[in-house]
Amino acid sequence: MPYEPPTHTVERSLRATTGARIIAGVDEVGRGAWAGPVTVCAAITGLRRPPEGLTDSKLITPKRRAALAVELEGWVTCHALGHASPEEIDELGMTAALRLAAVRALDGLPVRPDAVILDGKHDYLGAPWRVRTVIKGDQSCIAVAAASVLAKVRRDALMAELGLESASLEPYAFGENAGYPSPVHKAALQELGPTPFHRLSWAYLDAMPRWRHLKKVRISVEAAALESGGQLGFDF
């Protein structure tokens, strides 16, 4: 199924209305996974024509996505990745963990962006960053689409590497599911329980009586304030 290619429309609008010149596209991957980090990529592209076929990473086959990521690494002006670990997700909640990963990515850039285009409806980044949220920005905005592909490929590789580190992790098939709840992953959890790489504050443990005692209760006051503020409204 063909998709409309992303454009620089939002970047041009930000330049015209705010005077911003350095604009980063930001996207995340791993939000819905049960294991592994949440990963955010910040990418600065300028206004150049992107590689052929660039769009939301979820719409690209794994083989093409990997090849496109190699092209993008040489094409983007610069990019950086930030991660929030399962422990940080459990402690802070997803809203604050996303912000932590995004700030790490933005701080990793060699230049500070004047503005940020954030994929989605909710601004989990906030001050002091100047943020423009764009629903389906990973399909419509070139910088966000580039960040989407780079984040997805790097996190998938990270999870595959993790799955090879120990024979005890092989049953979870992280190289195939990247920590998302596939049937094989669910079966391994039911039989073997969560690993140190699983998020232990999430509701999937409620359905596993054998391992329910391992569930963590979030106690961070800052995280509770962020979550109750309704920035994302997720209920895992």
Side-chain angles (χ1 to χ4, degrees), residues 10-92:
V10 178
E11 289 97 321
R12 294 184 189 279
S13 173
L14 279 169
R15 285 174 175 243
T17 59
T18 70
R21 287 293 175 266
I22 302 173
I23 300 170
V26 171
D27 198 16
E28 56 76 25
V29 64
R31 187 185 311 194
W34 287 2
V38 63
T39 297
V40 173
C41 180
I44 297 174
T45 67
L47 299 178
R48 293 168 295 137
R49 182 189 297 273
E52 187 70 26
L54 177 64
T55 187
D56 173 11
S57 65
K58 296 185 293 295
L59 304 178
I60 307 172
T61 65
K63 182 178 180 180
R64 174 56 186 148
R65 194 163 55 220
L68 185 56
V70 174
E71 289 185 67
L72 287 170
E73 287 179 357
W75 176 80
V76 297
T77 303
C78 58
H79 77 284
L81 291 139
H83 309 276
S85 69
E87 294 84 0
E88 289 169 329
I89 294 169
D90 286 335
E91 179 183 354
L92 300 173

Side-chain angles (χ1 to χ4, degrees), residues 35-36 86 162 168-169 172 174 189 192-200 204:
L162 179 63
S168 65
L169 297 177
Y172 300 90
F174 289 153
L189 271 170
L192 304 171
T195 71
F197 306 103
H198 280 87
R199 303 168 188 182
L200 298 181
Y204 70 84

Side-chain angles (χ1 to χ4, degrees), residues 199-214:
R199 303 168 188 182
L200 298 181
S201 60
W202 285 28
Y204 70 84
L205 282 173
D206 293 335
M208 299 181 181
R210 186 178 175 187
W211 310 109
R212 193 180 298 157
H213 65 286
L214 298 175

Side-chain angles (χ1 to χ4, degrees), residues 85-222:
S85 69
E87 294 84 0
E88 289 169 329
I89 294 169
D90 286 335
E91 179 183 354
L92 300 173
M94 185 51 75
T95 302
L98 278 168
R99 185 178 194 279
L100 181 62
V103 169
R104 286 170 173 167
L106 289 163
D107 284 348
L109 294 171
V111 293
R112 182 178 176 89
D114 301 316
V116 173
I117 303 172
L118 191 62
D119 180 54
K121 179 180 180 181
H122 302 281
D123 177 9
Y124 57 77
L125 189 55
W129 303 94
R130 177 187 289 170
V131 176
R132 173 77 60 87
T133 58
V134 179
I135 296 173
K136 293 188 177 180
D138 47 11
Q139 292 184 39
S140 61
C141 301
I142 286 173
V144 180
S148 169
V149 172
L150 290 166
K152 173 66 173 168
V153 170
R154 179 63 195 120
R155 187 182 181 278
D156 281 359
L158 185 154
M159 293 303 294
E161 292 163 8
L162 179 63
L164 295 173
E165 283 186 2
S166 169
S168 65
L169 297 177
E170 290 181 7
Y172 300 90
F174 289 153
E176 299 171 12
N177 59 53
Y180 285 85
S182 70
V184 171
H185 187 178
K186 290 180 180 179
L189 271 170
Q190 289 280 9
E191 177 65 24
L192 304 171
T195 71
F197 306 103
H198 280 87
R199 303 168 188 182
L200 298 181
S201 60
W202 285 28
Y204 70 84
L205 282 173
D206 293 335
M208 299 181 181
R210 186 178 175 187
W211 310 109
R212 193 180 298 157
H213 65 286
L214 298 175
K215 188 174 180 182
K216 290 184 178 179
V217 177
R218 195 178 311 135
I219 59 174
S220 166
V221 174
E222 178 185 0

